[in-house]
């Protein structure tokens, strides 16, 4: 595996090779990330994984400074997973100057759910992902569907900006008890870790109840929020949405149930597609 930290070096090692399959990450890799690398490997082209903790997508009150940085371990995991190129730019490479030009995704998709509770988050995500796409010039890029709204926004950005990149959404990888793998799970203490699968369990319960004729969406959402609150969570939202664009669902639409809630100081998100 080659490890490169500048865009120039990355272009040099990719010159003359087929457009790579790309997995963007913020590091602290777990089995969920490695499943994306495995999916990239199946494309038969060079696999590039980036590791970059993107300051632009963290609000001042969020965990940018304490976000886990485990570069040596991550590089070992990528090597074992068969990644060809690890792209590990320092901040000065991607942001040599303050990033004044930014991608502002449409409010209808970017300022609801996660965007409502994390203002500016998706501007930060889309901006860095566009920069990474320009650096890597992939033919395909793979994103985990745990971050369902992020995946939809990147897909929309690529479509509307005519980028020749196929965006693939990969299924969420879970621990045996249902907890979606996330770098932020590492913040949980033992008792919180035992409680954490409850978020997925509540979303799955809502999803199951949606199968009942005449299911009352607002009551199901409020019931899940209440159930989480009673167990000590601070829920931001539980929402039943149209899976295509997270709009309010109409009869016959395919649905997704999304949720975000804080357990102590740790904010977890998850979703269940129906
Ligand atoms: O999902 C993530 O880890 C990040 O939002 C991403 C896509 C790597 C952009 O920083």
């Amino acid at each position: 595996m080659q490890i490169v930290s500048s865009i120039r070096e990355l272009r040099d090692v990719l010159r003359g090779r087929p457009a790579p399959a790309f997995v963007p990450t913020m590091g602290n890799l777990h089995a969920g990330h490695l499943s994306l690398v495995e999916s990239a490997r199946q494309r038969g082209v060079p696999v590039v994984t980036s590791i970059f903790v993107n300051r632009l997508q963290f609000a001042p009150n969020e965990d940018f400074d304490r976000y886990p940085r485990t570069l040596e371990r991550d590089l070992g995991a990528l090597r074992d997973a068969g990644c060809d190129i690890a792209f590990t730019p320092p901040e000065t490479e991607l942001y040599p100057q303050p990033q004044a030009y930014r991608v502002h995704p449409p409010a209808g998709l970017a300022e609801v759910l996660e965007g409502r509770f994390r203002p500016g988050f998706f501007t930060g995500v889309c901006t860095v992902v566009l920069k990474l796409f320009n650096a890597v010039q992939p033919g395909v890029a793979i994103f985990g569907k745990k971050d369902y709204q992020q995946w939809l926004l990147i897909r929309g950005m690529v479509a509307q900006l005519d980028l020749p990149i196929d965006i693939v959404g990969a299924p969420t990888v879970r621990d045996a008890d249902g907890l979606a793998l996330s770098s932020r799970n590492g913040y949980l203490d033992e008792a919180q870790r035992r409680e954490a699968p409850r978020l997925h369990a509540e979303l799955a319960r809502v999803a199951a109840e949606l199968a009942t004729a005449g299911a009352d969406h607002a009551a199901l959402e409020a019931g899940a929020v209440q159930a989480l609150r009673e167990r000590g969570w601070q829920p931001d939202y539980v929402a039943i949405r149209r899976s295509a664009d997270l709009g309010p669902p109409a009869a016959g639409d395919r649905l997704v149930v999304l949720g975000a809630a804080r357990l102590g100081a740790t904010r977890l998100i998850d979703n269940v597609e129906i």
Side-chain angles (χ1 to χ4, degrees), residues 22-235:
F22 178 42
V23 179
T25 81
M26 297 206 299
N28 195 239
L29 303 182
H30 50 64
H33 296 112
L34 300 178
S35 77
L36 307 182
V37 174
E38 179 50 33
S39 164
R41 261 163 52 84
Q42 286 165 13
R43 324 267 148 181
V45 293
V47 173
V48 178
T49 303
S50 62
I51 297 178
F52 181 70
V53 184
N54 173 38
R55 184 186 291 277
L56 285 194
Q57 70 192 71
F58 289 80
N61 62 330
E62 293 185 339
D63 55 345
F64 175 76
D65 287 329
R66 70 179 187 123
Y67 196 84
R69 288 157 172 90
T70 51
L71 185 61
E72 284 314 310
R73 203 192 73 197
D74 293 346
L75 293 174
L78 287 179
R79 203 171 281 118
D80 293 348
C83 175
D84 299 298
I85 300 162
F87 179 45
T88 60
E91 258 199 317
T92 47
E93 181 68 13
L94 285 193
Y95 300 130
Q97 297 155 358
Q99 185 69 28
Y101 290 80
R102 299 191 185 194
V103 178
H104 290 281
L109 186 51
E111 289 174 19
V112 299
L113 303 172
E114 282 306 281
R116 180 166 158 237
F117 290 91
R118 303 185 68 188
F121 171 64
F122 288 119
T123 292
V125 168
C126 288
T127 302
V128 81
V129 169
L130 182 60
K131 287 176 72 96
L132 289 167
F133 283 170
N134 287 334
V136 177
Q137 303 188 3
V140 57
I142 302 164
F143 290 81
K145 281 168 98 181
K146 181 176 82 68
D147 299 296
Y148 191 90
Q149 192 173 1
Q150 168 174 281
W151 168 65
L152 284 185
L153 277 157
I154 302 291
R155 244 181 29 172
M157 175 179 82
V158 161
Q160 289 211 351
L161 298 181
D162 304 314
L163 304 180
I165 305 170
D166 189 15
I167 301 299
V168 173
T172 301
V173 177
R174 300 181 182 282
D175 268 336
D177 58 8
L179 177 64
L181 298 192
S182 162
S183 300
R184 291 190 168 102
N185 293 352
Y187 297 149
L188 301 169
D189 66 25
E190 254 177 58
Q192 290 169 336
R193 174 61 193 82
R194 278 196 301 278
E195 173 60 19
R198 177 70 48 178
L199 178 60
H200 175 247
E202 278 303 320
L203 302 182
R205 193 177 57 74
V206 170
E209 290 186 20
L210 278 171
T212 342
D216 176 343
H217 288 195
L220 287 174
E221 292 168 349
V225 163
Q226 184 57 24
L228 288 168
R229 243 183 225 135
E230 280 166 11
R231 297 188 64 93
W233 294 72
Q234 298 153 270

